[in-house]
Amino acid sequence: MIIYPAIDMRGGRCVRLTEGRFDKETVFADDPSEMAVKWASLGAEWLHLVDLDGALAGESKNLPAIQKILETIRIPVELGGGIRSMEQIEKLLDLGIARLILGSAAVKNPSLVAEACKNYPGHIACGIDAKNGDVAIEGWGEGSGIGYTELAKRMADVGVDKIIFTDISRDGMLSGVNAEATGELARACGIEIIASGGVASLDDIRRLKPYEKDGVTGCIIGKAIYTGAVDLKVALALAKED
């Protein structure tokens, strides 16, 4: 299992939100690249970047911070937040992003996801963020009326090979990852799932490990590594255990 340290960017800074609420923000670093260097130095194999401003605006808003991260570290990064056109996809991949995460586009423009998967196989993932079973879009500000399992199956059908699944009600709450729902989703759609939202301790990684056989191949950790609730180095070692 791969552990993905999360770097959420808003206004060029590294922040964390609680339950995706922009009025519940904590700033952890003025320069996100400092956090990127820290997590890479501890052994992270990947970084998970989120452009929070982009998720609201529908276009990339933290490009200078993203570019600085890419120039500073040598491990691959994935990026989500406001990516809603082929032009943006091409531009970001040209910058050096290894994997792009399409969220709202999966609901509003599935043909874009299909085209991106066809043109850039292996570089496109789908972000499915759910609350009470319903997929949320537009920076988590709107419901979609689509169940997360149904959307995951649709994305598998158009060529997506990875899904980042976030339980919004747990995100930033340190209340524990929803391991059972994540495992069920992997079995239902038949493609790789990266768990996100609510990781509070090493026990959450232990809870996810049995679902590796079902296709849960990664776990994103945000607030817990910033507050010290999880030691990233220990988490990385635990994730590699058989």
Side-chain angles (χ1 to χ4, degrees):
M1 180 178 291
I2 294 176
I3 300 295
Y4 296 77
I7 297 178
D8 292 2
M9 293 165 289
R10 188 180 185 201
R13 301 187 296 180
C14 175
V15 307
R16 294 300 299 169
L17 305 182
T18 299
E19 295 183 290
R21 289 181 54 175
F22 283 78
D23 61 344
K24 289 190 175 181
E25 173 190 276
T26 303
V27 177
F28 284 102
D30 289 328
D31 184 352
S33 70
E34 292 179 5
M35 303 312 304
V37 169
K38 178 178 180 179
W39 304 139
S41 71
L42 290 174
E45 298 173 76
W46 276 80
L47 287 182
H48 174 80
L49 309 183
V50 181
D51 184 341
L52 293 170
D53 299 300
L56 285 179
E59 59 181 327
S60 300
K61 289 290 184 181
N62 284 279
L63 279 179
I66 293 166
Q67 286 178 297
K68 189 172 181 182
I69 289 172
L70 292 171
E71 292 165 0
T72 305
I73 60 168
R74 294 292 175 265
I75 59 172
V77 304
E78 60 179 26
L79 170 69
I83 305 166
R84 296 174 199 170
S85 72
M86 282 304 298
E87 183 182 8
Q88 286 175 288
I89 290 167
E90 291 164 3
K91 180 179 179 179
L92 291 166
L93 289 174
D94 284 346
L95 279 181
I97 301 291
R99 183 188 299 145
L100 296 177
I101 304 161
L102 306 183
S104 295
V107 173
K108 294 193 163 187
N109 192 2
S111 62
L112 171 67
V113 182
E115 183 182 0
C117 288
K118 181 180 178 181
N119 291 351
Y120 303 105
H123 295 283
I124 305 297
C126 174
I128 296 181
D129 308 321
K131 193 168 188 176
N132 300 321
D134 183 45
V135 175
I137 57 175
E138 304 297 341
W140 296 355
E142 298 178 16
S144 67
I146 301 174
Y148 64 80
T149 302
E150 174 60 28
L151 182 59
K153 290 177 179 178
R154 292 182 193 178
M155 291 299 99
D157 288 343
V158 302
V160 170
D161 60 9
K162 278 187 183 60
I163 287 172
I164 289 86
F165 175 59
T166 303
D167 184 337
I168 296 171
S169 65
R170 300 182 183 223
D171 190 66
M173 297 294 288
L174 299 179
S175 58
V177 71
N178 196 337
E180 295 78 13
T182 305
E184 287 172 10
L185 184 61
R187 289 193 296 273
C189 67
I191 59 177
E192 291 183 22
I193 305 291
I194 298 171
S196 174
V199 173
S201 70
L202 295 172
D203 285 339
D204 287 303
I205 298 171
R206 295 187 182 100
R207 276 196 287 272
L208 285 169
K209 290 286 285 181
Y211 297 104
E212 280 188 282
K213 67 183 187 302
D214 298 312
V216 179
T217 59
C219 177
I220 294 167
I221 308 182
K223 193 171 187 177
I225 56 173
Y226 288 90
T227 62
V230 169
D231 182 315
L232 180 60
K233 206 163 190 176
V234 177
L236 290 166
L238 176 61
K240 293 300 179 188
E241 291 179 5
D242 293 330

